[in-house]
Amino acid sequence: MKNFHYVIEKGEVGAADYYEKKRETVLETIKPICEAFEITDYGYEIKDNGQLEILWVEGTGIDCTHNSIAATVRTLVHHIASRL
């Protein structure tokens, strides 16, 4: 199973690099889930150097500030399940 908890395994990285890598990893991770439910309008936005993280799903913004990637995936699955 994919390890959702870590974005960067080794080395030092600045905060801007970390948050961009986290954003890319979240989008890569949720893509197959969204595709399975035919959701094409989704995104992940990080503002103010990580002080605000928003998961966007079909125009709905969901606060995921300080969530791990695993918690963000669970949030997405819960959102999809609640709309079925």
Side-chain angles (χ1 to χ4, degrees):
M1 176 180 258
K2 184 172 182 171
N3 184 349
F4 295 117
H5 298 283
Y6 298 101
V7 174
I8 298 171
E9 294 181 17
K10 296 180 182 176
E12 292 186 26
V13 66
D17 294 336
Y18 171 82
Y19 289 116
E20 180 56 31
K21 184 65 176 169
K22 181 177 181 181
R23 182 184 162 282
E24 291 170 5
T25 303
V26 167
L27 291 173
E28 174 187 309
T29 303
I30 68 172
K31 181 179 179 178
I33 299 167
C34 291
E35 286 177 346
F37 289 93
E38 299 178 351
I39 297 170
T40 58
D41 182 17
Y42 64 92
Y44 195 73
E45 184 176 14
I46 301 176
K47 293 183 174 184
D48 301 325
N49 208 22
Q51 296 301 310
L52 180 62
E53 298 178 42
I54 303 170
L55 172 64
W56 291 97
V57 182
E58 297 180 327
T60 301
I62 305 165
D63 184 8
C64 289
T65 304
H66 303 298
N67 279 6
S68 66
I69 296 169
T72 302
V73 170
R74 284 191 298 273
T75 299
L76 173 63
V77 170
H78 181 267
H79 175 76
I80 292 170
S82 69
R83 297 180 59 98
L84 291 178

